[in-house]
Structures are given as C-alpha cells and as structure tokens.
Amino acid sequence: ELRNTKKDLFGTDIPITDELKDAAQNAENAFLAAMLEQKQQFQQIKSEEGSDKAVDIFMGRIQKEDEASKLEDERLLESLMKEEEIVGEIDDENEKTSWQ
C-alpha cells in the first residue's frame, strides 16, 4: 500500500539498488550504535548518581541540542536573507544600468 501511495505521489517507483540498500543499512547501524552509546552513558550515570539525576542530565542535553539547532537555523535564515538582499540589490543595479 505504501509503495502504491508513493508511486501515486511521486509518479514512479524509486528503484531499489544495492547502493540504496547499503546506505539504508549504514544509516540504521549508525543509529543503533548511537542509541547503544546513549543507553550505556545513561546506565553509567544512573548507577553513579541515580535515576532522577540521569534523567535530568539527559533532558538537559536534549534541551541544549534543541537550542543549538534553533540558533543554527536562525543563523542560516539570516544568512539567506542577506544573500537575497544582495542579489536583489545587484538585480536593481543591473536594471538601472540596462535602461541607461
């Protein structure tokens, strides 16, 4: 059913190649390795400082990452807006000189 929906939305099936399979497997392996590492860190903190402290530490990490991501998004947006302003100014100058 999902393949049919995808085909309806995108007009064609995306061919499954060995390269795509490998990329998907690599992404899955990287995700699982990261999850295992986080679990081990959580267990270590939990055994040393207790469940509540481990939860607080991990929630703090998540919040810091979210804030950093938001700041990065804002910086990228500002950069794009500045680029658009510069391009617009160049276009305006080109229009002025083309009429002269």
Side-chain angles (χ1 to χ4, degrees):
E1 185 178 327
L2 288 174
R3 284 189 181 273
N4 289 334
T5 302
K6 179 177 64 173
K7 188 174 182 178
D8 291 342
L9 288 174
F10 299 111
T12 185
D13 268 338
I14 298 172
I16 298 174
T17 64
D18 288 338
E19 188 175 298
L20 287 176
K21 287 179 186 177
D22 290 343
Q25 187 62 54
N26 289 340
E28 181 180 0
N29 290 343
F31 174 79
L32 292 174
M35 291 300 295
L36 179 60
E37 180 181 346
Q38 294 301 311
K39 179 180 177 184
Q40 290 170 342
Q41 288 178 6
F42 182 84
Q43 292 297 335
Q44 181 180 357
I45 294 169
K46 181 180 169 185
S47 68
E48 293 171 0
E49 301 191 37
S51 296
D52 290 341
K53 183 69 174 178
V55 169
D56 290 343
I57 289 171
F58 271 76
M59 292 302 292
R61 287 182 186 178
I62 291 168
Q63 188 173 20
K64 284 180 185 177
E65 285 295 322
D66 286 348
E67 290 170 3
S69 178
K70 286 177 186 175
L71 284 174
E72 182 63 24
D73 289 348
E74 289 174 8
R75 288 185 187 125
L76 288 172
L77 181 60
E78 287 175 10
S79 176
L80 287 172
M81 290 174 67
K82 286 179 184 176
E83 285 181 28
E84 287 181 12
E85 285 177 21
I86 292 170
V87 169
E89 290 172 5
I90 292 171
D91 288 344
D92 290 345
E93 285 298 316
N94 288 339
E95 285 180 22
K96 287 178 186 175
T97 56
S98 66
W99 284 99
Q100 293 177 354

